[in-house]
């Protein structure tokens, strides 16, 4: 039988402390995760028959949305990505009622009054995010897709990039509908 020496914890005490610390961290993360908007696969990108990049947006119903935009930044952290000249994309100011949209990636509908920033083309060394959020009091979701030009170039005809993977257009439409 093992004897404990006064003031010295047994071998399981350290394990218990680590488990308790991990449980505290997991509990804190669970509490914090309930406070943010849910990320939903309500946006996709694809290449049309001519090879031009296009965007698909599928907000839930006619929800009021804000933060609608495309942001591309260099993949390397030391490239000064905070500078406007090192960004690529556009931003739509204010709020608008959502509706399904399919448009050229760097040419959002004129009535949105978007503001362009930097390169207005896909840059191979950039990572892009196309996103929008529900703009109502409960801000329950953000529709988003993150991609690189290489992701689009690997798509087969009829496929879109959404939810971090290639899928059929019909698969994306079902995914977006089920997410609302």
């Amino acid at each position: 039988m093992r004897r404990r020496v006064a003031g010295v914890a047994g071998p399981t005490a350290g394990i218990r402390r680590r488990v308790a610390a991990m449980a505290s961290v997991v509990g804190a993360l669970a509490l914090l995760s309930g406070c943010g908007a849910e990320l939903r696969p309500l946006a996709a990108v694809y290449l049309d028959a001519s090879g031009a990049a296009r965007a698909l947006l599928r907000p839930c119903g006619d929800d009021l949305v804000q933060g609608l935009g495309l942001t591309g930044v260099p993949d390397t952290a030391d490239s000064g990505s905070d500078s406007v000249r090192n960004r690529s994309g556009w931003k739509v100011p204010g709020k608008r009622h959502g509706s399904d949209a399919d448009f050229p990636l760097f040419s959002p509908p004129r009535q949105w009054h978007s503001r362009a920033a930097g390169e207005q083309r896909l840059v191979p060394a950039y990572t892009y995010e196309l996103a929008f959020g529900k703009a109502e009091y409960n801000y329950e979701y953000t529709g988003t897709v993150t991609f690189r030009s290489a992701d689009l170039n690997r798509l087969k005809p009829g496929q879109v990039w959404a939810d971090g993977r290639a899928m059929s257009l019909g698969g994306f439409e079902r995914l977006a509908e089920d997410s609302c």
Side-chain angles (χ1 to χ4, degrees):
M1 179 154 128
R2 285 189 151 163
R3 295 180 76 177
R4 290 183 76 183
V5 178
V8 177
T12 59
I15 294 171
R16 277 185 264 153
R17 279 193 301 272
R18 285 189 291 263
V19 169
M22 183 61 79
S24 296
V25 169
V26 169
L29 289 174
L31 285 173
L32 291 174
S33 68
C35 296
E38 179 183 349
L39 296 179
R40 296 184 182 176
L42 300 174
V45 290
Y46 70 100
L47 297 176
D48 65 16
S50 69
R54 296 191 62 88
L56 289 171
L57 302 177
R58 299 296 186 255
C60 298
D62 66 347
D63 285 346
L64 193 62
V65 298
Q66 68 183 8
L68 178 57
L70 172 71
T71 303
V73 294
D75 293 332
T76 57
D78 63 342
S79 61
S81 61
D82 288 340
S83 170
V84 172
R85 75 172 193 274
N86 288 330
R87 291 190 194 154
S88 173
W90 47 267
K91 184 89 172 158
V92 174
K95 300 175 182 178
R96 60 182 301 278
H97 279 282
S99 62
D100 290 353
D102 182 344
F103 56 90
L105 186 62
F106 290 96
S107 298
R110 189 175 314 208
Q111 65 270 25
W112 292 1
H113 306 287
S114 65
R115 297 180 186 147
E119 296 279 346
Q120 294 299 293
R121 63 178 181 84
L122 285 174
V123 178
Y126 280 32
T127 297
Y128 292 87
E129 181 181 47
L130 176 63
F132 63 91
K134 183 177 177 185
E136 296 175 23
Y137 72 94
N138 58 355
Y139 188 58
E140 65 188 54
Y141 68 83
T142 296
T144 185
V145 61
T146 302
F147 62 96
R148 297 180 43 123
S149 63
D151 298 325
L152 297 183
N153 291 331
R154 285 193 299 269
L155 294 175
K156 296 179 176 123
Q159 286 187 318
V160 301
W161 184 266
D163 200 27
R165 59 195 161 105
M167 64 181 67
S168 69
L169 175 59
F172 167 67
E173 297 292 358
R174 285 187 297 280
L175 181 64
E177 186 175 321
D178 291 347
S179 296
C180 284

